[in-house]
Amino acid sequence: MDPTEWLPTELMLMILAHYALARVGAKVCRRWRGLCRGLHDGRTSVLPLWAMYNSEVKTAAQWKGHTDGIQGMAIGHNNKLYSASRDCTIRVWSMEDGRCLRHLTGHTNWVNGLAIGPDGTVYSASGDKTVRVWSGVDGSHFETFAGHTLQVTCVVVDRNNFVFSGSADKTIKVWRRGSATCSITLHGHTDDVFVLALSPDHEKLYSGSLDTTIRVWSVPAGIHLRTLEGHTEHVYSLVVGVGGTVFSGSRDETIRMWRGSDGKLLNTKNHHKNSVLSLALGPHDTVVSGSGGQDRTVALWCGHTGDHLGTLRHLPKFVDALVVGPEGVVYTGGRDDKTITVW
């Protein structure tokens, strides 16, 4: 019998944080070996849950350049991080040394969100009602999708280069790169579409709305499959774990977990004390959440069980933008902060 099965998650994390993997690896279950691998693999950056739990997290770096708040971020190819800002620009950063490599201009309103295509192409959603397409190599702009009647709030792209954009006009539009014409418009939400996410197999699209619901659509046909109801306020954030579990964050201060196969509500987490503005995938099947207002925290969760694994505290007031690097480094930004903070 594995003795760790009887220990609470947080106690197990405390114990493992003080021992080398070589000493305990053979004596703990596979799940814990995977979780603690990031701590003792000799890299400079490790799985963030250890530092969070031990309350020893310090800012590793701050990247400055934007002149207004940061709305979104995405990790591209070749160790590049892209940031979208209310200053109407996109900045491209080296994840190795934090240098700003490029400054992409062209939007005439806030840049609200970013997505990276399978070939590294960059897609940006803007308050100017368009989605712009940029080269991931040199940052050149080569295509614009126009058709929404209000600001474009979010964008995702699947492995076949179908592009999905959500808007304050309550619709989702489906585009194909190389054609500036919208192929399908998805209707159903009764308020702004605020966030989009794809399932790991790219066969389902999830849309979160200010109407408090999450709609599930087939990809790329756009057939409405079901509606997930449970949140009592705006849905601000979505992410789908490697096993297909859907995590949603809301103005109602909760994170809800939904089964991907049938949409059943699995769990509701009440950890945050304000809106859950951002969600991101972390290493080893973890999920990271960022909050706003006076909460000012980032929390780490097990993507399989929903167990709370740790909390990073005293961040800027709003964590609107959040990504986790391949080595567990956490990058945050927000509407009140013109800076990308590296943890």
Side-chain angles (χ1 to χ4, degrees), residues 160-189:
N160 295 313
N161 286 312
F162 283 99
V163 182
F164 304 85
S165 57
S167 170
D169 65 15
K170 308 175 188 178
T171 71
I172 300 161
K173 289 186 179 292
V174 185
W175 316 81
R176 190 69 183 267
R177 204 174 82 193
S179 172
T181 303
C182 169
S183 59
I184 309 171
T185 299
L186 310 183
H187 298 271
H189 283 295

Side-chain angles (χ1 to χ4, degrees), residues 13-14 17-18 39 48-57 310-311:
L13 292 176
M14 181 185 294
H18 293 283
L39 180 63
L49 69 91
W50 305 105
M52 289 183 195
Y53 184 79
N54 290 321
S55 302
E56 296 174 354
V57 170
T311 300

